[in-house]
């Protein structure tokens, strides 16, 4: 199709869903919005109606109001994909089509289209007899995959598409291997075919190719055994015999068919795959690897020769094969293996060796992954493979010296031991010389640091180096262009597959809930799973449920994860990393176990240790580099569950009780004072409480504005909820109720009323334990407010009236006024508006008496809203305008925005739509200046209502869509109300 618009949009679906506009990567929004985009992309320019979109994103149980939500997502995508579109111009990418939408494929590029085009072109080359060209194109296309297609995209359509795309890749790989067999590359293809047969035992096409490759490699007996194995699996699993194609190959094996006979042995090196460089014409490509080096060696002395620089070279070409045996229990890690496959692509056309660095925590399976992948790709390196265990983290701390490592490699490469020179520099120079012009795979396992690895790097292109380490070897990445691969935890499915591989499917499937519990108790750590699975395998009569119960009984300790030796003992494995830390970093590692949240920032870590934030950042970097913690998002660090248990054990053993309690005190002070400052920043005129001075070293934060305060509260919300519970449980009840008070404004605005209810139950219990009537009063007031939000009026009144009494008894007049205001709002909801006015008058008098002008202004807005409910918008407007004037005098934009919104609503009720929109516009301006997205959403809702009342449906719909986007982003329950408004105006936007 001829392009009608410039193609500036590119999409990647063969991995995580990503998009670029020119060179800029686009933020694609939340999971459901990404699912919608994927669905439109994969329909290839075909129209998709609304019902199909809803079903594809949510399945058979969509949320209420799913249709307007889809339209909201489309609206956002249009703005995102066409940022330069002028107002009034037609959309060019996502266009309306009937009651649905189309994403025009002539305006975008996608890696799925490129992959399918490449496969089709490769078939054309094969039909034309250009097998080299076909293989090059297919290998290039297969290397473009970046992991699981549509990784992380939810919904039934994405799940089905993942399966379909994975099948396309496997079909293309099978076709590529068939082409390679046609080229005579049977020995090259064998390792990959063996791995694929194990991964897909029911796929007859792969078994057929495996039989052919084995037979042509002179391994007829293995080919017959492979057929028998495949037939056995097909009969047992599916109850069917092999198909005609596989049976035909088997018959050919029995009859010694000529096409299965090994080819005549050649004196030249066996053929390898054609290079997969896309910048060469396929028709003329040659395998340059075969001519990568010329053998000009001459014997000058026994076992070696001298080169022009006086070094020593091996007299005979030696092909070492030092890789450890691949584990028969390896499973999963498909996305990591695909990323590792990308190293082969990097090697094409590069004038330096390719280096891959696999890092991760102890027990993650770094060595297993590296060895498994090395076996998969070893056939690409005809000059052999080297393996060195650098012993960076072995129990005896006997770290291998680089000089000893080089000497072992040189000996393996054929250099006589007496020809190895003295001194590391001379040895490294000889090592590089011997490797020059050769294609060798080098696996450097268990490295301590960059300095240990650097002398072992080849000097020229052709070799590939894989390094594993618990540390992030940033020096290799920065100084040598190494490609990092941080090995995280396997997925839940992969962890389950580890149990299946070790215990058998029948035993695991017999107790699925127990197996799931074991995976959870092991926190998906491969080492822990291996230890527990070994115990189960050694006791086949034990039920998995009993083993899971043992793990639960250990209450998260490491006692259950002790194997038969140090290498299968989680505690020992962790200790090898811990004991290499500097003392201050080790102390922080122990202190982090005291933190109750899912992750921690540098400022909170500084409070735990009592050091400056800058020092804490450096220590966190050391712990991250040692893979003892992970940086889960920029500036936020977290533990694996078993490492947390290990740190807690160390803290109990090595730190005194006073030291631990002092650390907790600093941490609680940090969160209390920071949350208090954030609350004051969001509502500077809000009624507040006094706090004791923060302890030394608690490093509380201050905020430059509402946006920064809101961002901190949003990021720390889970932590702060945990801090309230944790402080109460550890005897810091004063911190618990005061922190809960500081969170009230933010939690209410975001609609987190359930959280508000829970933390204030804890706050009330804490204040009761302290015998603090003011703390009890604030907790009761907040509980009453929370029950009010849930429509539980009786419970709300009980708590609010109790709060009022406690404030009166304790002499807290500002608290008393606040309780009256809460009771007034509740009474309004109950329809008793005159009684509500009496509560507001009591509050107003208290504020006036104690000079609390912000409270006075706030009550005027409350009174204005009450007059609206009484059907007297003129008196309402009078009070709102007084509130606005007072708020402007005080300088509280947040409270003014609320008053302006209330005035706008009074104008609306009077039928003054233009005046209403003017007040709303001022409120919206204030909200956006402050970055208050909740108040902004409320004002946008009212703007939509005003436009709808004035008979302007399009601007009404636009305002509601903008409000819905903000509320959905915050997962606010009020989003449902806006969806209902949109449902009443449900024509698709143009």
């Amino acid at each position: 199709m001829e392009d009608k618009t410039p193609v500036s949009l590119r999409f990647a679906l063969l991995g995580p869903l990503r998009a670029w506009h020119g060179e800029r990567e686009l933020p694609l929004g939340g999971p459901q919005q990404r699912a919608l985009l994927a669905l439109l992309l994969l329909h290839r320019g075909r129209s998709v109606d609304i019902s199909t979109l809803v079903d594809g994103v949510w399945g058979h149980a969509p949320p209420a109001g799913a249709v307007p939500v889809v339209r909201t997502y489309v609206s956002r995508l249009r703005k995102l994909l066409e940022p330069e579109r002028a107002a009034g111009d037609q959309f060019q990418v996502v266009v309306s089509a009937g009651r649905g939408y189309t994403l025009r494929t002539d305006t975008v590029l996608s890696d799925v289209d490129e992959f399918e085009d490449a496969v089709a072109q490769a078939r054309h080359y094969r039909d034309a007899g250009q097998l080299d060209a076909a293989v090059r194109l297919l290998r290039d296309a297969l290397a473009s995959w970046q992991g699981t297609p549509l990784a992380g995209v939810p919904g039934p359509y994405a799940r089905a598409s993942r399966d379909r795309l994975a099948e396309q890749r496997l079909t293309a790989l099978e076709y590529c291997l068939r082409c390679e067999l046609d080229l005579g590359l049977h020995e090259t293809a064998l390792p990959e075919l063996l791995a694929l047969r194990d991964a897909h035992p029911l796929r007859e096409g792969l078994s057929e190719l495996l039989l052919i490759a084995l037979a042509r490699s002179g391994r007829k007996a293995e080919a017959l055994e492979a057929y028998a194995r495949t037939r056995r699996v097909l009969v047992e699993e599916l109850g069917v015999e092999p198909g005609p194609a596989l049976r035909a190959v088997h018959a050919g094996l029995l009859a010694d068919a000529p096409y299965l006979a090994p080819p005549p042995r050649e004196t030249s090196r066996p053929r390898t795959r054609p290079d997969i460089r896309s910048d060469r014409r396929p028709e003329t490509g040659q395998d340059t690897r075969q001519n990568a080096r010329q053998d000009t060696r001459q014997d000058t002395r026994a076992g070696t020769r001298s080169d022009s620089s006086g070094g020593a070279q091996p007299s005979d070409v030696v092909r070492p094969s030092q890789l450890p045996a691949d584990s028969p229990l390896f499973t999963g890690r498909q996305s990591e293996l695909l990323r590792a496959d990308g190293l082969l692509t990097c090697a094409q056309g590069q004038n330096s060796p390719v280096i891959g660095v696999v890092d991760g925590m102890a027990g993650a399976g770094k060595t297993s992954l590296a060895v498994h992948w090395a076996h998969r790709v070893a056939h690409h390196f005809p000059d052999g493979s080297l393996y060195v265990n650098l012993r960076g983290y072995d129990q005896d701390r006997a770290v291998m010296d680089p000089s000893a490592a080089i000497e072992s490699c040189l000996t393996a490469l054929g250099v006589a031991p007496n020809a190895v020179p003295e001194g590391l520099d001379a040895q490294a120079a000889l090592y590089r010389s011997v490797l020059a012009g050769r294609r060798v795979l080098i696996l450097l396992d268990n490295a301590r640091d960059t300095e240990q690895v650097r002398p072992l790097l080849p000097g020229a292109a052709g070799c590939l180096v894989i390094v594993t380490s618990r540390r992030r070897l940033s020096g290799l990445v920065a100084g040598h262009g190494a490609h990092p691969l941080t090995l995280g935890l396997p997925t839940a499915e992969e962890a389950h597959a580890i149990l299946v591989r070790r215990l058998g499917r029948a035993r695991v499937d017999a107790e699925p809930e127990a197996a799931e519990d074991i995976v959870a108790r092991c926190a998906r750590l491969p080492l822990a799973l291996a230890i527990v699975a070994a115990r189960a395998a050694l006791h086949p009569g034990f039920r998995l449920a009993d083993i899971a119960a043992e793990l639960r009984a250990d209450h998260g300790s490491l006692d259950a994860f002790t194997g038969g030796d140090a290498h299968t003992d989680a505690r020992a494995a962790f200790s090898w990393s811990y004991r290499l830390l500097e003392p201050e970093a080790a102390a922080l590692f122990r202190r982090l176990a005291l933190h109750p949240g899912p992750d921690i920032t540098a400022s909170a870590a500084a409070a735990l240790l009592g050091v400056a934030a800058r020092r804490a950042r450096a220590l966190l970097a050391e712990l991250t580099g040692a893979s003892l913690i992970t940086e889960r998002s920029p500036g936020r660090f977290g533990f694996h569950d078993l490492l947390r248990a290990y740190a807690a054990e160390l803290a109990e053993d090595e730190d005194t009780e006073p030291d631990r309690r002092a650390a907790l005190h600093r941490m609680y002070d940090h969160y209390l004072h920071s949350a208090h400052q954030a609350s004051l920043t969001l509502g500077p005129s809000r009624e507040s409480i006094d706090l004791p001075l923060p302890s030394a070293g608690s490093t509380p934060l201050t905020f430059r504005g509402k946006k920064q305060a809101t961002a901190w509260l949003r990021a720390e919300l889970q932590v702060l909820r945990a801090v309230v519970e944790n402080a109460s449980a550890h005897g810091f009840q004063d911190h618990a109720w005061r922190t809960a008070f500081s969170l009230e404004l933010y939690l209410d605005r975001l609609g987190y009323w359930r959280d508000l209810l829970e933390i204030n139950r804890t706050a009330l219990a804490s204040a009761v334990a302290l015998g603090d009537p003011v703390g009890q009063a604030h907790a009761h007031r907040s509980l009453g407010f929370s029950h009010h939000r849930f429509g539980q009026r009786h419970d709300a009144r009980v708590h609010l009236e109790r709060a009022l009494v406690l404030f009166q008894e304790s002499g807290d007049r500002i608290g008393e006024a606040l309780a009256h205001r809460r009771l007034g709002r509740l009474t309004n909801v109950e329809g008793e508006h005159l009684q509500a006015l009496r509560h507001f008058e009591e509050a107003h008098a208290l504020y006036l008496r104690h000079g609390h002008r912000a409270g006075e202004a706030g009550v005027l807005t409350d009174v204005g809203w009450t007059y609206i409910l009484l059907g007297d918008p003129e008196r309402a407007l009078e009070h709102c305008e007084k509130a606005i004037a007072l708020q402007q005098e005080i300088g509280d934009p947040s409270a003014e925005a609320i008053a302006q919104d209330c005035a706008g609503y009074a104008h609306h009720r009077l039928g003054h739509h233009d005046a209403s929109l003017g007040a709303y516009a001022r409120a919206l301006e204030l909200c956006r200046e402050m970055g208050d997205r909740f108040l902004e959403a409320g004002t946008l809702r009212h703007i939509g209502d005003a436009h709808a009342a004035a008979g302007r449906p399009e601007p009404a719909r636009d305002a509601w869509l903008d409000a819905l986007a903000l509320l959905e982003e915050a997962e606010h329950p009020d989003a449902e109300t806006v969806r209902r408004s949109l449902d009443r105006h449900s024509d698709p936007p143009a």
Side-chain angles (χ1 to χ4, degrees), residues 601 603 636 670-671 674-675 678 701 703 707-717 720 743:
T601 62
S603 58
R636 304 197 70 84
H670 169 80
Y671 283 116
S674 299
L701 301 174
F703 303 96
K707 287 184 179 179
Q708 191 182 43
T710 300
W712 182 81
L713 285 164
R714 184 184 297 115
E716 297 289 354
L717 182 56
L720 289 164
L743 295 176

PDB file of all heavy atoms in Angstrom, residues 601 603 636 670-671 674-675 678 701 703 707-717 720 743:
ATOM      1  N   THR A 601      13.945   4.114  50.157  1.00  0.00           N
ATOM      2  CA  THR A 601      14.743   5.127  49.471  1.00  0.00           C
ATOM      3  C   THR A 601      16.032   5.386  50.243  1.00  0.00           C
ATOM      4  O   THR A 601      16.204   4.940  51.384  1.00  0.00           O
ATOM      5  CB  THR A 601      13.959   6.440  49.360  1.00  0.00           C
ATOM      6  OG1 THR A 601      13.682   6.913  50.689  1.00  0.00           O
ATOM      7  CG2 THR A 601      12.650   6.240  48.608  1.00  0.00           C
ATOM      8  N   SER A 603      16.983   8.218  51.523  1.00  0.00           N
ATOM      9  CA  SER A 603      16.776   9.057  52.715  1.00  0.00           C
ATOM     10  C   SER A 603      16.286   8.229  53.896  1.00  0.00           C
ATOM     11  O   SER A 603      16.712   8.442  55.034  1.00  0.00           O
ATOM     12  CB  SER A 603      15.784  10.180  52.395  1.00  0.00           C
ATOM     13  OG  SER A 603      14.550   9.648  51.954  1.00  0.00           O
ATOM     14  N   ARG A 636      14.645   3.356  44.393  1.00  0.00           N
ATOM     15  CA  ARG A 636      13.890   2.538  45.344  1.00  0.00           C
ATOM     16  C   ARG A 636      14.487   1.139  45.371  1.00  0.00           C
ATOM     17  O   ARG A 636      14.602   0.483  44.328  1.00  0.00           O
ATOM     18  CB  ARG A 636      12.402   2.494  44.992  1.00  0.00           C
ATOM     19  CG  ARG A 636      11.759   3.870  44.894  1.00  0.00           C
ATOM     20  CD  ARG A 636      10.250   3.775  44.954  1.00  0.00           C
ATOM     21  NE  ARG A 636       9.791   3.381  46.277  1.00  0.00           N
ATOM     22  CZ  ARG A 636       9.612   4.221  47.306  1.00  0.00           C
ATOM     23  NH1 ARG A 636       9.851   5.505  47.152  1.00  0.00           N
ATOM     24  NH2 ARG A 636       9.188   3.772  48.468  1.00  0.00           N
ATOM     25  N   HIS A 670      11.589   9.771  60.669  1.00  0.00           N
ATOM     26  CA  HIS A 670      11.752  10.175  59.265  1.00  0.00           C
ATOM     27  C   HIS A 670      10.405  10.182  58.543  1.00  0.00           C
ATOM     28  O   HIS A 670      10.030  11.165  57.888  1.00  0.00           O
ATOM     29  CB  HIS A 670      12.724   9.227  58.558  1.00  0.00           C
ATOM     30  CG  HIS A 670      12.751   9.401  57.068  1.00  0.00           C
ATOM     31  ND1 HIS A 670      13.458  10.411  56.458  1.00  0.00           N
ATOM     32  CD2 HIS A 670      12.138   8.695  56.073  1.00  0.00           C
ATOM     33  CE1 HIS A 670      13.285  10.316  55.144  1.00  0.00           C
ATOM     34  NE2 HIS A 670      12.486   9.289  54.889  1.00  0.00           N
ATOM     35  N   TYR A 671       9.667   9.100  58.664  1.00  0.00           N
ATOM     36  CA  TYR A 671       8.406   9.012  57.941  1.00  0.00           C
ATOM     37  C   TYR A 671       7.340   9.939  58.531  1.00  0.00           C
ATOM     38  O   TYR A 671       6.551  10.551  57.801  1.00  0.00           O
ATOM     39  CB  TYR A 671       7.916   7.565  57.914  1.00  0.00           C
ATOM     40  CG  TYR A 671       8.668   6.715  56.916  1.00  0.00           C
ATOM     41  CD1 TYR A 671       9.441   5.641  57.342  1.00  0.00           C
ATOM     42  CD2 TYR A 671       8.613   6.999  55.555  1.00  0.00           C
ATOM     43  CE1 TYR A 671      10.140   4.848  56.417  1.00  0.00           C
ATOM     44  CE2 TYR A 671       9.306   6.226  54.631  1.00  0.00           C
ATOM     45  CZ  TYR A 671      10.065   5.154  55.064  1.00  0.00           C
ATOM     46  OH  TYR A 671      10.756   4.398  54.150  1.00  0.00           O
ATOM     47  N   SER A 674       8.284  13.632  57.595  1.00  0.00           N
ATOM     48  CA  SER A 674       8.167  13.825  56.141  1.00  0.00           C
ATOM     49  C   SER A 674       6.704  13.833  55.713  1.00  0.00           C
ATOM     50  O   SER A 674       6.281  14.672  54.909  1.00  0.00           O
ATOM     51  CB  SER A 674       8.926  12.716  55.399  1.00  0.00           C
ATOM     52  OG  SER A 674      10.303  12.741  55.709  1.00  0.00           O
ATOM     53  N   ALA A 675       5.896  12.897  56.252  1.00  0.00           N
ATOM     54  CA  ALA A 675       4.471  12.858  55.913  1.00  0.00           C
ATOM     55  C   ALA A 675       3.763  14.115  56.408  1.00  0.00           C
ATOM     56  O   ALA A 675       2.875  14.656  55.725  1.00  0.00           O
ATOM     57  CB  ALA A 675       3.827  11.612  56.510  1.00  0.00           C
ATOM     58  N   ALA A 678       4.572  16.878  54.033  1.00  0.00           N
ATOM     59  CA  ALA A 678       3.845  16.696  52.774  1.00  0.00           C
ATOM     60  C   ALA A 678       2.387  17.116  52.932  1.00  0.00           C
ATOM     61  O   ALA A 678       1.807  17.771  52.056  1.00  0.00           O
ATOM     62  CB  ALA A 678       3.925  15.234  52.329  1.00  0.00           C
ATOM     63  N   LEU A 701      12.240  14.921  55.286  1.00  0.00           N
ATOM     64  CA  LEU A 701      12.248  15.620  54.006  1.00  0.00           C
ATOM     65  C   LEU A 701      11.406  16.887  54.081  1.00  0.00           C
ATOM     66  O   LEU A 701      10.475  16.993  54.877  1.00  0.00           O
ATOM     67  CB  LEU A 701      11.698  14.717  52.909  1.00  0.00           C
ATOM     68  CG  LEU A 701      12.436  13.399  52.671  1.00  0.00           C
ATOM     69  CD1 LEU A 701      11.684  12.556  51.643  1.00  0.00           C
ATOM     70  CD2 LEU A 701      13.861  13.648  52.215  1.00  0.00           C
ATOM     71  N   PHE A 703       9.485  19.773  51.120  1.00  0.00           N
ATOM     72  CA  PHE A 703       8.987  19.717  49.751  1.00  0.00           C
ATOM     73  C   PHE A 703       8.836  21.129  49.191  1.00  0.00           C
ATOM     74  O   PHE A 703       8.384  22.044  49.887  1.00  0.00           O
ATOM     75  CB  PHE A 703       7.653  18.976  49.704  1.00  0.00           C
ATOM     76  CG  PHE A 703       7.753  17.585  50.285  1.00  0.00           C
ATOM     77  CD1 PHE A 703       7.400  17.343  51.615  1.00  0.00           C
ATOM     78  CD2 PHE A 703       8.230  16.531  49.532  1.00  0.00           C
ATOM     79  CE1 PHE A 703       7.511  16.084  52.174  1.00  0.00           C
ATOM     80  CE2 PHE A 703       8.355  15.261  50.084  1.00  0.00           C
ATOM     81  CZ  PHE A 703       7.994  15.040  51.400  1.00  0.00           C
ATOM     82  N   LYS A 707       3.312  19.390  43.852  1.00  0.00           N
ATOM     83  CA  LYS A 707       3.653  18.293  42.948  1.00  0.00           C
ATOM     84  C   LYS A 707       4.689  17.374  43.580  1.00  0.00           C
ATOM     85  O   LYS A 707       4.576  16.147  43.513  1.00  0.00           O
ATOM     86  CB  LYS A 707       4.175  18.838  41.617  1.00  0.00           C
ATOM     87  CG  LYS A 707       3.110  19.461  40.733  1.00  0.00           C
ATOM     88  CD  LYS A 707       3.684  19.894  39.398  1.00  0.00           C
ATOM     89  CE  LYS A 707       2.600  20.502  38.511  1.00  0.00           C
ATOM     90  NZ  LYS A 707       3.148  20.947  37.197  1.00  0.00           N
ATOM     91  N   GLN A 708       5.698  17.971  44.198  1.00  0.00           N
ATOM     92  CA  GLN A 708       6.744  17.153  44.817  1.00  0.00           C
ATOM     93  C   GLN A 708       6.191  16.394  46.022  1.00  0.00           C
ATOM     94  O   GLN A 708       6.496  15.204  46.212  1.00  0.00           O
ATOM     95  CB  GLN A 708       7.906  18.044  45.247  1.00  0.00           C
ATOM     96  CG  GLN A 708       9.139  17.259  45.665  1.00  0.00           C
ATOM     97  CD  GLN A 708      10.261  18.169  46.126  1.00  0.00           C
ATOM     98  OE1 GLN A 708      10.034  19.122  46.856  1.00  0.00           O
ATOM     99  NE2 GLN A 708      11.475  17.863  45.707  1.00  0.00           N
ATOM    100  N   ALA A 709       5.348  17.037  46.813  1.00  0.00           N
ATOM    101  CA  ALA A 709       4.767  16.362  47.976  1.00  0.00           C
ATOM    102  C   ALA A 709       3.857  15.218  47.544  1.00  0.00           C
ATOM    103  O   ALA A 709       3.892  14.120  48.112  1.00  0.00           O
ATOM    104  CB  ALA A 709       3.984  17.369  48.815  1.00  0.00           C
ATOM    105  N   THR A 710       3.038  15.473  46.515  1.00  0.00           N
ATOM    106  CA  THR A 710       2.138  14.425  46.019  1.00  0.00           C
ATOM    107  C   THR A 710       2.929  13.254  45.456  1.00  0.00           C
ATOM    108  O   THR A 710       2.582  12.091  45.680  1.00  0.00           O
ATOM    109  CB  THR A 710       1.198  14.998  44.939  1.00  0.00           C
ATOM    110  OG1 THR A 710       0.433  16.061  45.515  1.00  0.00           O
ATOM    111  CG2 THR A 710       0.257  13.929  44.410  1.00  0.00           C
ATOM    112  N   ALA A 711       3.986  13.554  44.717  1.00  0.00           N
ATOM    113  CA  ALA A 711       4.806  12.482  44.136  1.00  0.00           C
ATOM    114  C   ALA A 711       5.424  11.618  45.232  1.00  0.00           C
ATOM    115  O   ALA A 711       5.470  10.386  45.118  1.00  0.00           O
ATOM    116  CB  ALA A 711       5.892  13.080  43.246  1.00  0.00           C
ATOM    117  N   TRP A 712       5.886  12.260  46.308  1.00  0.00           N
ATOM    118  CA  TRP A 712       6.482  11.483  47.411  1.00  0.00           C
ATOM    119  C   TRP A 712       5.427  10.619  48.083  1.00  0.00           C
ATOM    120  O   TRP A 712       5.662   9.435  48.355  1.00  0.00           O
ATOM    121  CB  TRP A 712       7.116  12.428  48.429  1.00  0.00           C
ATOM    122  CG  TRP A 712       7.795  11.694  49.554  1.00  0.00           C
ATOM    123  CD1 TRP A 712       9.044  11.139  49.547  1.00  0.00           C
ATOM    124  CD2 TRP A 712       7.243  11.412  50.849  1.00  0.00           C
ATOM    125  NE1 TRP A 712       9.310  10.529  50.755  1.00  0.00           N
ATOM    126  CE2 TRP A 712       8.233  10.679  51.567  1.00  0.00           C
ATOM    127  CE3 TRP A 712       6.035  11.705  51.467  1.00  0.00           C
ATOM    128  CZ2 TRP A 712       8.021  10.250  52.881  1.00  0.00           C
ATOM    129  CZ3 TRP A 712       5.819  11.281  52.775  1.00  0.00           C
ATOM    130  CH2 TRP A 712       6.802  10.557  53.471  1.00  0.00           C
ATOM    131  N   LEU A 713       4.266  11.179  48.362  1.00  0.00           N
ATOM    132  CA  LEU A 713       3.213  10.401  49.013  1.00  0.00           C
ATOM    133  C   LEU A 713       2.765   9.236  48.132  1.00  0.00           C
ATOM    134  O   LEU A 713       2.517   8.134  48.628  1.00  0.00           O
ATOM    135  CB  LEU A 713       2.018  11.308  49.327  1.00  0.00           C
ATOM    136  CG  LEU A 713       2.215  12.269  50.511  1.00  0.00           C
ATOM    137  CD1 LEU A 713       1.167  13.369  50.497  1.00  0.00           C
ATOM    138  CD2 LEU A 713       2.171  11.510  51.827  1.00  0.00           C
ATOM    139  N   ARG A 714       2.661   9.489  46.834  1.00  0.00           N
ATOM    140  CA  ARG A 714       2.256   8.413  45.930  1.00  0.00           C
ATOM    141  C   ARG A 714       3.292   7.290  45.945  1.00  0.00           C
ATOM    142  O   ARG A 714       2.951   6.103  45.994  1.00  0.00           O
ATOM    143  CB  ARG A 714       2.093   8.954  44.512  1.00  0.00           C
ATOM    144  CG  ARG A 714       1.586   7.911  43.513  1.00  0.00           C
ATOM    145  CD  ARG A 714       1.516   8.448  42.087  1.00  0.00           C
ATOM    146  NE  ARG A 714       0.564   9.541  41.993  1.00  0.00           N
ATOM    147  CZ  ARG A 714       0.884  10.791  41.700  1.00  0.00           C
ATOM    148  NH1 ARG A 714       2.151  11.124  41.478  1.00  0.00           N
ATOM    149  NH2 ARG A 714      -0.037  11.725  41.608  1.00  0.00           N
ATOM    150  N   ALA A 715       4.567   7.658  45.907  1.00  0.00           N
ATOM    151  CA  ALA A 715       5.624   6.641  45.874  1.00  0.00           C
ATOM    152  C   ALA A 715       5.730   5.886  47.194  1.00  0.00           C
ATOM    153  O   ALA A 715       6.039   4.691  47.211  1.00  0.00           O
ATOM    154  CB  ALA A 715       6.959   7.301  45.535  1.00  0.00           C
ATOM    155  N   GLU A 716       5.458   6.573  48.307  1.00  0.00           N
ATOM    156  CA  GLU A 716       5.672   5.969  49.629  1.00  0.00           C
ATOM    157  C   GLU A 716       4.400   5.391  50.246  1.00  0.00           C
ATOM    158  O   GLU A 716       4.425   4.951  51.404  1.00  0.00           O
ATOM    159  CB  GLU A 716       6.258   7.018  50.593  1.00  0.00           C
ATOM    160  CG  GLU A 716       7.628   7.540  50.205  1.00  0.00           C
ATOM    161  CD  GLU A 716       8.722   6.501  50.406  1.00  0.00           C
ATOM    162  OE1 GLU A 716       8.436   5.415  50.946  1.00  0.00           O
ATOM    163  OE2 GLU A 716       9.868   6.780  50.022  1.00  0.00           O
ATOM    164  N   LEU A 717       3.296   5.381  49.516  1.00  0.00           N
ATOM    165  CA  LEU A 717       2.015   5.047  50.131  1.00  0.00           C
ATOM    166  C   LEU A 717       2.035   3.666  50.788  1.00  0.00           C
ATOM    167  O   LEU A 717       1.621   3.508  51.945  1.00  0.00           O
ATOM    168  CB  LEU A 717       0.904   5.116  49.078  1.00  0.00           C
ATOM    169  CG  LEU A 717      -0.504   4.835  49.595  1.00  0.00           C
ATOM    170  CD1 LEU A 717      -0.850   5.771  50.749  1.00  0.00           C
ATOM    171  CD2 LEU A 717      -1.521   4.985  48.479  1.00  0.00           C
ATOM    172  N   LEU A 720       4.181   3.817  53.919  1.00  0.00           N
ATOM    173  CA  LEU A 720       3.587   4.563  55.030  1.00  0.00           C
ATOM    174  C   LEU A 720       2.472   3.768  55.708  1.00  0.00           C
ATOM    175  O   LEU A 720       2.322   3.814  56.942  1.00  0.00           O
ATOM    176  CB  LEU A 720       3.062   5.904  54.521  1.00  0.00           C
ATOM    177  CG  LEU A 720       4.160   6.907  54.133  1.00  0.00           C
ATOM    178  CD1 LEU A 720       3.581   8.029  53.290  1.00  0.00           C
ATOM    179  CD2 LEU A 720       4.836   7.472  55.382  1.00  0.00           C
ATOM    180  N   LEU A 743      -1.591  11.377  57.006  1.00  0.00           N
ATOM    181  CA  LEU A 743      -1.942  10.775  55.712  1.00  0.00           C
ATOM    182  C   LEU A 743      -3.390  11.034  55.304  1.00  0.00           C
ATOM    183  O   LEU A 743      -3.776  10.714  54.179  1.00  0.00           O
ATOM    184  CB  LEU A 743      -1.702   9.260  55.767  1.00  0.00           C
ATOM    185  CG  LEU A 743      -0.258   8.804  55.939  1.00  0.00           C
ATOM    186  CD1 LEU A 743      -0.198   7.290  56.069  1.00  0.00           C
ATOM    187  CD2 LEU A 743       0.583   9.267  54.764  1.00  0.00           C
TER     188      LEU A 743
END
